[in-house]
Amino acid sequence: MSAEAPQAYDDLLEAYRRVSNVESAVGVLSWDQQVTMPDGGAPARSRQLSTLSGLKHELLTDDGIADALETLDRSELNDEQRAVVREIRREHERAAAVPQALIEQISAKSSEALEVWESAKADADFSQFAPVLEELVELRREYAAAIDPDRDPYAVLFEDYEPYLGLETAEQVLERLRDELVPLIEAVGDSDVTQPDPFADGTYSEQAQEDLSREILTRIGYDWDRGRLDTSSHPFTSGNQFDCRVTTRFLEDDPLSALTATVHEFGHAFYNLGLPQEEYGTPLGSSRNLSVHESQSRLWENHVGRSRPFWESIADDVREAFEGVEDIDGETFYRAANRVYDDNLIRVDADELTYHMHIVVRFEIERDLINGDLDVEDVPEVWNDKYEQYLGLRPENDAEGALQDIHWSHGNFGYFPTYTLGSVMAAQLYAAAEDDLGGLDGSIRAGEFEDLQTWLRENVHHHGARYTTDDLVEVATGESYTADYFLEYVTEKYGDLYEL
């Protein structure tokens, strides 16, 4: 390493830590806006977030970072240093291409849009949300064009959430799952097997559901000294390795919804809380990206939280929590948690199979919106048509249709494919963990999660953003990223459940 490299590298880290701290502050304010902020606080919060987003952009594009990166181009670095420089350079170059005024405008409009979306959803009226959504679509087009005017704008936006697998990979995975899952879903629909619904005739208090959610979070290893559970209109996770908070929502007629959502958000939080503390504020202390993040949430939600051993292990807790299910055994709960719905319109409540058709709908719509092939005013009709095409269902109103997700109110176009990419990755990671550890079913049945947690810490979390997505998968599993494990997993699981 050259004599000047250590100082340039230290300067780069010092500057980037300031960027990270501002980003963390934005996260706390955004969490507060969705969880505890009074309704009247929106105008001030919009300005606060806009200012901080502009400050982050200013710090990230500062000449000091540019000079340090230029110096390090001529320096010898070790593998970890090269990874840090790679990640900061990518962020710096994208940010430098976008005017700060546009960044502040997007932030302010997103904050405003959140309030409009919540009101529109409550009224099941997409027309209330359409004007602000149209503005966000246009702002995001401008953002993409500033970064690279010659590329597909949706591909540019997608790279904010998954910078390495590429939109082509996402399209291939979504097309393969659409082609292979639809026949499986149809076979399930034709099966004579009917899964139980032990919660169908009851109502379940929010307090009872929250108590159970807290018990399950404790059981699977949530660190309450560095986290908390709250409610929000849409479940989400926010934070870092020192402070990572989860939210969920409770439906009085469906306690499974809150439970699966809570375990899903635990996966996100467990990832953040497992990042190296000594690397806080640097890429080595940051999560890889949203595809990897979703792999962690979907692994815990599905491979653990929807597994037979898990439901056998928590059956006593469920029976104690809710009246009317005192005689239900673990096998019945397991089958109920894995029922394939022929009438579910809501993505976050979907089963493992139809879930990806929900993602396909959103992916196709937002891609067409950004590329100018779909007008905002036509979204509800196109949404409903695609639901009928892919799921055989048609929403009765906008709340259960095009307004059900929060993502577009944040201006997050390109996010949705990461849910499916993460589900595919989760199956591959879980299979590798099982190969390395063996006996995961027995451990989960006994309520022992430490071996799996340690494996994830060592093979995924500990690396931060050191590796690109595809390299991380190969390091963790010994194989390239593939959908094979996911398709084998769901084919075997649902073949067993529905006697196919």
Side-chain angles (χ1 to χ4, degrees), residues 11-212:
D11 291 345
L12 181 66
L13 285 186
E14 182 179 357
Y16 188 76
R17 286 190 180 105
R18 290 170 61 82
V19 175
S20 296
N21 284 330
V22 172
E23 186 174 24
S24 289
V26 169
V28 173
L29 285 179
S30 297
W31 171 88
D32 175 76
Q33 182 177 17
Q34 296 178 64
V35 176
T36 64
M37 188 187 78
D39 292 341
R45 186 54 45 88
S46 173
R47 296 176 188 179
Q48 294 158 3
L49 290 172
S50 177
T51 297
L52 286 176
S53 295
L55 177 59
K56 176 192 169 185
H57 184 267
E58 183 179 327
L59 292 171
L60 187 54
T61 57
D62 185 76
D63 289 343
I65 285 184
D67 293 343
L69 289 170
E70 184 178 355
T71 298
L72 293 169
D73 272 344
R74 305 187 299 272
S75 306
E76 294 181 11
L77 304 172
N78 62 36
D79 289 345
E80 288 192 352
Q81 291 168 332
R82 280 196 295 271
V84 167
V85 170
R86 178 195 69 221
E87 292 302 311
I88 296 177
R89 183 187 307 284
R90 183 181 63 81
E91 286 191 54
H92 168 78
E93 290 179 349
R94 284 175 74 89
V98 182
Q100 182 169 328
L102 178 57
I103 294 295
E104 293 181 5
Q105 194 175 0
I106 290 172
S107 176
K109 186 57 63 176
S110 298
S111 182
E112 174 190 335
L114 176 62
E115 306 298 317
V116 177
W117 169 77
E118 289 182 337
S119 176
K121 184 179 180 183
D123 294 340
D125 182 6
F126 185 85
S127 67
Q128 295 180 27
F129 183 54
V132 71
L133 176 59
E134 192 161 1
E135 292 182 70
L136 281 171
V137 168
E138 185 56 40
L139 288 170
R140 282 300 183 181
R141 286 177 184 154
E142 290 181 36
Y143 173 89
I147 292 172
D148 193 336
D150 298 323
R151 292 182 59 209
D152 174 351
Y154 185 77
V156 175
L157 296 180
F158 173 72
E159 289 168 358
D160 274 349
Y161 309 104
E162 173 45 75
Y164 294 110
L165 287 181
L167 183 60
E168 183 178 350
T169 297
E171 290 173 334
Q172 290 172 349
V173 168
L174 286 167
E175 288 173 5
R176 183 178 178 192
L177 264 59
R178 182 182 60 198
D179 292 344
E180 299 194 31
L181 290 184
V182 168
L184 180 57
I185 293 168
E186 291 175 348
V188 166
D190 292 338
S191 171
D192 293 331
V193 175
T194 300
Q195 301 301 343
D197 189 4
F199 303 104
D201 299 323
T203 56
Y204 308 91
S205 73
E206 180 173 322
Q207 188 61 56
Q209 293 188 57
E210 181 177 344
D211 290 345
L212 179 61

Side-chain angles (χ1 to χ4, degrees), residues 123-351:
D123 294 340
D125 182 6
F126 185 85
S127 67
Q128 295 180 27
F129 183 54
V132 71
L133 176 59
E134 192 161 1
E135 292 182 70
L136 281 171
V137 168
E138 185 56 40
L139 288 170
R140 282 300 183 181
R141 286 177 184 154
E142 290 181 36
Y143 173 89
I147 292 172
D148 193 336
D150 298 323
R151 292 182 59 209
D152 174 351
Y154 185 77
V156 175
L157 296 180
F158 173 72
E159 289 168 358
D160 274 349
Y161 309 104
E162 173 45 75
Y164 294 110
L165 287 181
L167 183 60
E168 183 178 350
T169 297
E171 290 173 334
Q172 290 172 349
V173 168
L174 286 167
E175 288 173 5
R176 183 178 178 192
L177 264 59
R178 182 182 60 198
D179 292 344
E180 299 194 31
L181 290 184
V182 168
L184 180 57
I185 293 168
E186 291 175 348
V188 166
D190 292 338
S191 171
D192 293 331
V193 175
T194 300
Q195 301 301 343
D197 189 4
F199 303 104
D201 299 323
T203 56
Y204 308 91
S205 73
E206 180 173 322
Q207 188 61 56
Q209 293 188 57
E210 181 177 344
D211 290 345
L212 179 61
S213 291
R214 290 182 179 277
E215 172 62 30
I216 299 306
L217 282 173
T218 300
R219 187 81 58 83
I220 59 181
Y222 189 47
D223 185 349
W224 293 103
D225 289 336
R226 294 184 287 161
R228 54 182 294 127
L229 173 68
D230 295 276
T231 58
S232 61
S233 58
H234 193 95
F236 72 98
T237 298
S238 177
N240 52 58
Q241 51 267 68
F242 295 101
D243 173 3
C244 195
R245 311 167 187 193
V246 301
T247 74
T248 192
R249 66 177 186 180
F250 303 105
L251 305 177
E252 67 173 11
D253 60 345
D254 183 12
L256 286 176
S257 175
L259 194 56
T260 54
T262 301
V263 175
H264 175 100
E265 298 307 330
F266 165 82
H268 284 303
F270 189 69
Y271 183 13
N272 282 349
L273 294 171
L275 295 167
Q277 293 189 1
E278 67 277 10
E279 300 291 351
Y280 169 73
T282 81
L284 297 179
S286 304
S287 58
R288 169 57 282 164
N289 54 44
L290 280 176
S291 294
V292 179
H293 237 303
E294 293 302 337
S295 80
Q296 301 306 286
S297 59
R298 298 291 283 171
L299 185 151
W300 282 96
E301 176 189 353
N302 293 327
H303 296 270
V304 177
R306 293 185 194 267
S307 71
R308 180 179 275 113
F310 181 76
W311 280 96
E312 291 174 354
S313 75
I314 69 167
D316 285 343
D317 301 280
V318 179
R319 286 190 288 264
E320 290 177 10
F322 304 126
E323 294 182 1
V325 297
E326 293 87 355
D327 297 327
I328 305 300
D329 60 13
E331 176 68 15
T332 302
F333 285 136
Y334 162 70
R335 289 182 171 274
N338 288 282
R339 185 162 58 100
V340 175
Y341 295 92
D342 59 4
D343 59 352
N344 176 60
L345 290 158
I346 308 301
R347 176 185 63 83
V348 295
D349 296 332
D351 56 82

